[in-house]
Amino acid sequence: MNRRFELIIFDWDGTLSDSVGLITDLMIQSFVLHNVTPPSRREVADILGIKLSEAFKILLKEKNQNNSELILNSYIDLYNYNSNKVKLFDGIEYGIKELHRCNYKLAIATGGGRNYLDSCLAQTSIKDKVSVTKTSDDCFSKPHPQMCKEIMDELFIEPEKTLVIGDSIHDLQMAKNAGVASLAVTYGAHDQDALSIFNPLGYMGDANMIFDWIRRHG
């Protein structure tokens, strides 16, 4: 069967995992614990998808950067305490299994760390359906194209046969930097207006729309 795409690279948080709200809450709480004025929810959304240590430096802005490591460690402790709350968006589990059954190659590229992603995937039923995973511990942080390029190299798939699906501007910019097409998810970190500057092939308002689009166009 002649397909437009052979490889689909998914972001994790806000695309497959319904975790943006939890992550945002915990990031804000980690600032409050150290009596540092927390960022707004919009500011947190804007850094989701990049490496955690870099994200906290951005969120601190002109505040005392000496607090960065303390706040980061508090966030990690808070997240670990809540790590049993991983939940896939409705439709993801069935959709991923169906793509795998149809012989698409599936991968994950996330701004989270290796231990984080492995722990999350271990709580799901889709782990064995994913061929390759890349994290910010393995590669340069998004929007650098290294994650995409390494995944394509490992699976021997060309850019024109690759599709990135993500909810943040960092995901879509990574795709653009890697020379691959993208789909924008609008139920995660960023809305359609923010994502539109990267000219994705479409905008997905819920997870089921992703798999319907792939069936019709992918």
Side-chain angles (χ1 to χ4, degrees):
M1 181 179 178
N2 187 24
R3 290 188 175 126
R4 184 177 183 182
F5 300 110
E6 297 176 6
L7 167 62
I8 303 173
I9 302 175
F10 289 93
D11 170 57
W12 178 252
D13 293 304
T15 300
L16 297 181
S17 173
D18 186 3
S19 51
V20 168
L22 174 63
I23 289 171
T24 302
D25 290 343
L26 297 181
M27 282 190 173
I28 290 173
Q29 188 177 344
S30 68
F31 277 75
V32 173
L33 285 173
H34 293 278
N35 297 312
V36 176
T37 302
S40 67
R41 300 186 75 83
R42 179 74 267 166
E43 288 173 320
V44 173
D46 286 343
I47 56 81
L48 292 178
I50 67 176
K51 190 171 184 176
L52 202 56
S53 58
E54 297 174 11
F56 272 86
K57 288 178 181 178
I58 293 170
L59 291 176
L60 276 165
K61 297 179 183 175
E62 72 282 356
K63 301 182 181 76
N64 187 349
Q65 289 288 328
N66 291 333
N67 288 312
S68 180
E69 187 172 352
L70 291 173
I71 296 173
L72 172 59
N73 288 337
S74 291
Y75 167 76
I76 292 171
D77 288 343
L78 288 167
Y79 187 86
N80 287 338
Y81 183 77
N82 290 275
S83 61
N84 62 339
K85 296 182 179 180
V86 174
K87 178 181 180 294
L88 299 179
F89 285 105
D90 291 341
I92 291 295
E93 181 178 10
Y94 176 81
I96 291 291
K97 290 179 178 179
E98 185 65 13
L99 291 179
H100 183 265
R101 186 187 69 80
C102 293
N103 296 315
Y104 285 95
K105 295 295 185 183
L106 306 178
I108 293 173
T110 178
R114 170 54 58 192
N115 290 340
Y116 165 69
L117 179 62
D118 288 350
S119 174
C120 289
L121 279 174
Q123 299 177 51
T124 75
S125 62
I126 66 170
K127 179 180 178 181
D128 294 339
K129 314 304 179 190
V130 179
S131 298
V132 180
T133 61
K134 295 293 178 181
T135 76
S136 59
D137 289 334
D138 311 314
C139 302
F140 289 118
S141 183
K142 300 174 185 177
H144 194 284
Q146 184 183 5
M147 291 188 195
C148 282
K149 290 184 175 181
E150 288 196 1
I151 291 169
M152 291 187 289
D153 287 346
E154 289 182 30
L155 296 175
F156 302 101
I157 295 178
E158 298 299 318
E160 59 268 23
K161 288 290 189 177
T162 301
L163 177 68
V164 167
I165 303 176
D167 67 306
S168 82
I169 57 174
H170 310 294
D171 300 322
L172 271 58
Q173 187 175 355
M174 175 185 67
K176 185 174 182 179
N177 291 343
V180 306
S182 65
L183 279 184
V185 164
T186 59
Y187 53 80
H190 290 131
D191 61 20
Q192 182 169 330
D193 286 344
L195 297 167
S196 65
I197 63 173
F198 299 102
N199 299 313
L201 298 178
Y203 301 93
M204 308 294 107
D206 66 61
N208 289 296
M209 291 176 65
I210 296 173
F211 306 105
D212 182 60
W213 189 96
I214 294 171
R215 280 191 293 271
R216 290 185 289 115
H217 304 292

